[in-house]
Amino acid sequence: MRHFNILRQLLAILLVVVLAAPEAAGRSRKGEKLFREGQTLESRKELEKALESYEKAYAEDPNNPEYSMAVKRVRFQAAQARVDAGQKLRSEGRLEEALAEFQRAYAIDPGSTIAEQELRRTYQMIAREKKKAAEPGAPPSTPEERALTPAQLAKKELEERISTYAGAPQLKPVTRQISSLKMNNQPPRVLFETVAKLGGINVVFDPDYLQQAGSRNFSVDLSNSTIEDALDYLAVLTKSFWKPLASNVIFVTQDNIQKRRDYEDQVAKVIYLQNVTTAQELQEISVALRSVVEARRLFTYNSLNAIIIRGTPDQVALVEKLAQDLDKPKSEVVVDVFVMEVNRSRTRDLAAALASGSTVGGLRSPVQFTPRNPVLFGGQTGSSATDTTTGSSSNATNTTSSSLYGSTYGATASTTAQSAISLARLGRISTNDFSVTLPGALFQAVLTDRSTRVLQRPQVRTVEGQKGELKIGDRYPYATGSFQPGIGGVGISPLVSTQFQFADVGVNLTLTPKVHPNDEVSMHVELDISSVRDRVDVGGLSQPVIGQRKMTHDIRVKEGEVTLIGGLIQNQDTKSLSGIPGLASIPGLRSIFGSNSTEKNQSELMIALIPHIVRSPEFTENNLKAIATGTDQQVKISINRMAEKPAPAAEPKPAKPEPAPPAPAVTPPAPAESKPAAPPAAAPPKLTLNVSAPQAALGSPVMVTVEVENAADLFSAPLRLKFDPKVLRLNEVTRGNLFSLDGQNVIFTRNIQNDIGEVAVNLNRMPGSTGVQGNGVLITLAFQAIGPGASKVTVVDAPLKNSRLEPIPVAAPEATILVK
């Protein structure tokens, strides 16, 4: 009865499962259909409809994690799409439409922080525009002004305010040149006022200065000088200090530390360095400038490679000049490394001897005990002797071996059977119970000659003063120590952890170059050539035996000069003699009873280094000349006003002709109107290629410059050049100085493809600037001759454009380089 009840319960449970299965299967099929529909809509970028399908599928089966993840993912994507659309509308000034998009995004995903922020920001912008529209007489906002967020509006107002900040006042006299001026026995006030009147400027004196400077008179001659030079001369003579208050006003006071602190202007400026690559270089430049200029408020900003300074205008000007002199690109060197290694091994084996088996050079004849059955068993013919005591069967074999190298006596246990003999039968043993193996004859003559040549040709490019490394090879692990982490328990063996390090095996080159004038290069070279020679067993671990050849050199060579590091020659001769003792030492019998082996190993290593200078700093005349910087206590930059170009004088207008007297009865014919001659037409722009060496030696550098002549409003210069990659290799492309003559920044990109012999270069002025005028270098190409033959360097495409992005037609030039 008990079993019947259990069976009835199981049948009831099975019936419930069967009845519920169709309903569950129906829900699963419906949710899967909605899920696939959502995937289709998502692939069409209909994210909100896809979200609706995913949400319905999730409602059908909330326990399905795939549905839950799809809902969360598409909800975020749909809200972000609404946010992107709202930001685009707001950038166009359509604030109300943007607000609706942000509201929809927030409704889709209430957890979106960006939607909430943009919604709040747009509300503030709409309120700002309503407040501005309520002000009487306020002009309506433009779409650009409506699109400004509060942060963008504050930034724009700050930029406009910064643009109105004035620099240090600059004196602009009406007449700068003083042709003739002499004053005798006059006080300082009269001297300054006289010079100021000649220049059309006003003078303001410090009251303390008028009280102390009126006790002494001076005589001066200021002929053929400028207004600024005359004021400086009077300042030195009267120990005064003057500064411009405006373009036509100067202030004069005593020249001492207190007055300069009270009245001398301070300016602040950020100087951006373009060629600094490390924070250490920037720090070195700042320390040098701070020490030379004695500027207390000079600091560095590493992230922008900038120097911030606050000081007098002369201090800032001197820092600018020195920073420009120091901000030069470092020289770069490409070093070709040739590693040549030759190994040769010769082996000769000569042997002629009596030999048994594979034994060479000796005589080995073992004597074996092979007793007869009567000796063993006393006439019995059985194959084994039975021990009546133990009931076991055994055989014993005694083996006695002897050779010319020595004799060995003993019993060797056999794996199959053992021979035994009783002591009572020892007297019956005779020579018939022993056997010996006679040696054979061997003649061997083997000669082996093996040679190996290794050639590696890596190339290293590095910056002057910085270490360049080249590693070609493998890294081999080797054990450096071991430790036991714990004590093993029952059934657990303690484990020993071994520490490993890795050795670089192969060609390891480290060099630090220094470029000198006259195209010379100094190099600190560390060369390590290693290989795994063998392996040894140390403490149960197989450790590599690394053969190493290491050299450290300091050399100075010319560019392109080959430096050979050789002389690493190793000769190893090994001779071995083996044979029958005594007989192998007799001269006549040595070749019969012995073997002679000779082995010769020769190895030679040679390294060649060839440096090439691919970049060097350019030092202009302004970088090399010395400038006046004032006294020990005061920095003063002197400006050569005489070198400034005077403003062009206005052309005199022709005098108005007086009315002519009445014409006589006969009027002479009117003269023919003379037309002004047309100005000569400007020469068209022209591209040229200039080659430093039309005929070059193999491995030597070749410089090619692309120049433009008669440029007028040149704004963009994209160039594409082709060359023969079998003859030339392009190492570097540098920008010329034509595009940056006025100090403007230039966008410069290059793409070198040596495999197909093509390079693409793009030069562009900054947006908003004008084009350049005149003649100059666009780019410089640094080639290297790598193969014999002739190669044409051709400008295949040069779509030059002006500042209005109109094309400037030019002919595509070409040049030929012959490599021998």
Side-chain angles (χ1 to χ4, degrees):
M1 189 66 181
R2 178 186 175 189
H3 292 86
F4 178 75
N5 292 333
I6 294 175
L7 181 60
R8 186 174 59 182
Q9 292 176 359
L10 292 176
L11 291 174
I13 294 173
L14 181 61
L15 180 61
V16 171
V17 171
V18 172
L19 293 177
E23 183 180 358
R27 288 201 304 269
S28 176
R29 286 195 297 270
K30 185 176 181 181
E32 188 66 24
K33 179 181 179 181
L34 291 171
F35 181 75
R36 285 197 295 267
E37 181 182 351
Q39 287 180 327
T40 304
L41 293 172
E42 184 181 0
S43 64
R44 298 175 184 174
K45 300 301 181 182
E46 300 179 11
L47 298 177
E48 296 184 20
K49 293 182 179 179
L51 176 61
E52 184 178 354
S53 298
Y54 285 145
E55 287 177 342
K56 292 179 179 179
Y58 180 70
E60 290 291 333
D61 190 0
N63 296 325
N64 192 325
E66 188 176 8
Y67 299 168
S68 176
M69 293 175 60
V71 169
K72 294 178 180 179
R73 183 186 70 251
V74 177
R75 177 179 290 131
F76 171 78
Q77 294 177 353
Q80 190 63 36
R82 288 286 184 175
V83 170
D84 295 341
Q87 290 175 341
K88 183 178 180 181
L89 292 172
R90 192 177 62 190
S91 65
E92 299 173 357
R94 300 155 65 181
L95 301 181
E96 289 75 11
E97 299 178 23
L99 180 63
E101 291 291 336
F102 293 139
Q103 289 174 341
R104 178 59 181 166
Y106 188 73
I108 293 174
D109 187 6
S112 175
T113 305
I114 184 65
E116 182 182 358
Q117 291 177 350
E118 295 295 341
L119 190 62
R120 184 169 53 252
R121 187 177 293 121
T122 308
Y123 271 126
Q124 295 174 359
M125 296 170 64
I126 293 175
R128 182 192 66 198
E129 294 301 320
K130 290 181 179 180
K131 181 179 178 181
K132 182 178 179 181
E135 296 178 357
S141 300
T142 62
E144 291 78 9
E145 294 174 346
R146 288 172 56 87
L148 294 176
T149 64
Q152 294 173 341
L153 182 60
K155 183 179 180 181
K156 179 182 179 182
E157 293 176 351
L158 177 60
E159 292 177 351
E160 293 176 352
R161 187 165 61 253
I162 290 176
S163 65
T164 61
Y165 293 167
Q170 299 291 329
L171 188 63
K172 297 180 181 179
V174 177
T175 302
R176 176 158 289 166
Q177 189 70 25
I178 300 177
S179 58
S180 176
L181 177 60
K182 293 182 180 181
M183 291 178 284
N184 297 321
N185 197 22
Q186 297 295 330
R189 177 173 183 174
V190 175
L191 297 177
F192 277 102
E193 288 179 344
T194 303
V195 173
K197 288 181 180 179
L198 289 176
I201 58 179
N202 301 320
V203 184
V204 177
F205 292 96
D206 184 10
D208 296 338
Y209 178 78
L210 295 178
Q211 294 178 3
Q212 298 179 7
S215 59
R216 185 180 176 185
N217 297 339
F218 301 90
S219 298
V220 296
D221 185 359
L222 302 176
S223 302
N224 298 322
S225 64
T226 62
I227 296 296
E228 291 84 354
D229 293 340
L231 293 175
D232 291 340
Y233 179 72
L234 294 179
V236 174
L237 185 64
T238 61
K239 295 182 179 180
S240 305
F241 159 62
W242 72 273
K243 72 166 191 175
L245 296 178
S247 61
N248 61 343
V249 180
I250 63 172
F251 174 79
V252 181
T253 185
Q254 294 101 348
D255 189 5
N256 54 52
I257 296 177
Q258 185 61 39
K259 292 295 183 181
R260 283 190 175 271
R261 288 179 178 175
D262 294 341
Y263 295 109
E264 192 168 23
D265 291 331
Q266 298 276 317
V267 295
K269 188 168 185 178
V270 179
I271 302 172
Y272 298 95
L273 304 180
Q274 304 294 329
N275 298 299
V276 174
T277 57
T278 62
Q280 180 182 357
E281 296 177 14
L282 180 62
Q283 190 66 28
E284 290 177 357
I285 293 177
S286 66
V287 170
L289 296 177
R290 189 182 296 112
S291 302
V292 173
V293 185
E294 296 184 356
R296 295 181 292 111
R297 299 181 180 90
L298 188 147
F299 306 95
T300 60
Y301 187 66
N302 293 336
S303 62
L304 292 179
N305 291 335
I307 294 177
I308 307 170
I309 180 175
R310 182 175 183 267
T312 65
D314 291 321
Q315 285 179 326
V316 174
L318 182 57
V319 168
E320 285 181 322
K321 197 270 178 188
L322 296 178
Q324 183 185 17
D325 295 342
L326 297 176
D327 186 24
K328 298 291 184 181
K330 287 187 175 182
S331 301
E332 294 187 36
V333 178
V334 172
V335 181
D336 293 327
V337 184
F338 294 85
V339 181
M340 294 164 283
E341 184 176 6
V342 178
N343 297 322
R344 185 175 184 182
S345 177
R346 299 186 65 186
T347 304
R348 184 185 65 180
D349 291 333
L350 298 177
L354 297 175
S356 176
S358 59
T359 303
V360 179
L363 182 61
R364 183 181 181 91
S365 296
V367 178
Q368 298 179 354
F369 180 55
T370 55
R372 298 162 297 160
N373 287 342
V375 175
L376 287 176
F377 313 115
Q380 298 178 7
T381 61
S383 61
S384 62
T386 303
D387 191 341
T388 59
T389 303
T390 60
S392 61
S393 177
S394 64
N395 295 325
T397 302
N398 292 336
T399 303
T400 303
S401 61
S402 63
S403 66
L404 294 179
Y405 292 98
S407 299
T408 303
Y409 302 94
T412 304
S414 175
T415 59
T416 59
Q418 294 181 348
S419 297
I421 184 171
S422 64
L423 295 177
R425 299 183 182 274
L426 289 177
R428 298 184 180 184
I429 298 175
S430 66
T431 57
N432 293 327
D433 300 318
F434 294 91
S435 60
V436 65
T437 302
L438 296 179
L442 172 69
F443 179 76
Q444 176 176 319
V446 179
L447 177 64
T448 302
D449 191 350
R450 181 178 60 187
S451 62
T452 305
R453 184 178 64 181
V454 179
L455 174 62
Q456 293 179 337
R457 187 182 176 182
Q459 190 178 69
V460 181
R461 176 168 180 167
T462 182
V463 180
E464 177 183 11
Q466 295 186 6
K467 184 183 296 184
E469 293 184 349
L470 176 67
K471 296 183 179 180
I472 302 176
D474 303 315
R475 303 192 72 193
Y476 281 84
Y478 62 93
T480 58
S482 61
F483 65 94
Q484 185 170 340
I487 300 176
V490 178
I492 302 175
S493 61
L495 300 178
V496 177
S497 298
T498 304
Q499 299 174 347
F500 289 90
Q501 290 187 1
F502 291 85
D504 294 320
V505 178
V507 178
N508 302 317
L509 175 66
T510 301
L511 59 89
T512 305
K514 172 68 178 178
V515 178
H516 301 281
N518 302 324
D519 294 335
E520 292 187 348
V521 181
S522 293
M523 292 184 294
H524 176 77
V525 183
E526 296 181 3
L527 184 62
D528 182 0
I529 300 177
S530 57
S531 62
V532 177
R533 300 293 187 188
D534 198 357
R535 287 186 176 273
V536 296
D537 191 356
V538 180
L541 295 175
S542 178
Q543 300 292 313
V545 178
I546 299 176
Q548 188 180 53
R549 300 177 184 181
K550 186 174 183 180
M551 294 161 288
T552 301
H553 286 267
D554 288 290
I555 55 178
R556 179 167 177 169
V557 295
K558 294 280 291 184
E559 179 190 8
E561 181 180 350
V562 180
T563 300
L564 295 178
I565 303 175
L568 302 178
I569 302 175
Q570 180 180 1
N571 293 328
Q572 182 178 358
D573 295 343
T574 304
K575 293 184 178 181
S576 61
L577 175 65
S578 61
I580 302 175
L583 296 179
S585 301
I586 301 175
L589 302 177
R590 181 180 303 170
S591 59
I592 300 176
F593 297 98
S595 64
N596 185 7
S597 176
T598 303
E599 182 177 357
K600 293 185 178 181
N601 293 321
Q602 297 178 349
S603 64
E604 183 176 358
L605 177 65
M606 181 175 294
I607 299 97
L609 302 178
I610 308 175
H612 304 283
I613 301 174
V614 297
R615 185 195 299 274
S616 59
E618 298 180 4
F619 298 103
T620 63
E621 182 180 356
N622 290 333
N623 300 140
L624 301 176
K625 75 175 184 179
I627 62 172
T629 59
T631 62
D632 179 70
Q633 299 296 326
Q634 186 62 37
V635 176
K636 176 67 177 177
I637 300 296
S638 300
I639 301 176
N640 187 9
R641 304 291 181 181
M642 301 295 293
E644 294 183 354
K645 295 182 179 180
E651 297 182 0
K653 296 182 180 181
K656 186 177 181 180
E658 298 181 357
V666 179
T667 304
E673 296 182 358
S674 60
K675 297 182 179 179
K686 179 182 179 183
L687 278 180
T688 58
L689 288 178
N690 292 327
V691 182
S692 62
Q695 294 186 0
L698 190 63
S700 63
V702 181
M703 308 300 292
V704 178
T705 59
V706 181
E707 302 180 4
V708 63
E709 299 177 2
N710 307 320
D713 193 22
L714 179 58
F715 183 81
S716 174
L719 304 173
R720 188 164 63 90
L721 297 90
K722 294 187 71 66
F723 57 92
D724 190 350
K726 297 180 180 178
V727 180
L728 299 176
R729 181 177 70 240
L730 182 57
N731 293 328
E732 185 57 52
V733 180
T734 56
R735 176 174 58 86
N737 60 351
L738 177 62
F739 267 50
S740 58
L741 289 176
D742 55 353
Q744 291 284 343
N745 292 331
V746 181
I747 301 174
F748 175 56
T749 60
R750 57 190 179 276
N751 183 17
I752 301 175
Q753 298 180 356
N754 278 312
D755 52 345
I756 61 174
E758 186 172 325
V759 57
V761 182
N762 194 5
L763 286 166
N764 280 288
R765 300 266 290 176
M766 295 300 293
S769 60
T770 59
V772 296
Q773 312 285 336
N775 308 329
V777 177
L778 291 178
I779 57 173
T780 300
L781 300 96
F783 288 99
Q784 182 181 359
I786 61 173
S791 171
K792 287 187 177 181
V793 180
T794 308
V795 179
V796 296
D797 191 14
L800 306 184
K801 296 181 181 180
N802 57 19
S803 59
R804 297 182 299 276
L805 300 181
E806 298 173 347
I808 301 176
V810 291
E814 67 178 23
T816 302
I817 300 174
L818 180 62
V819 178
K820 296 182 179 180

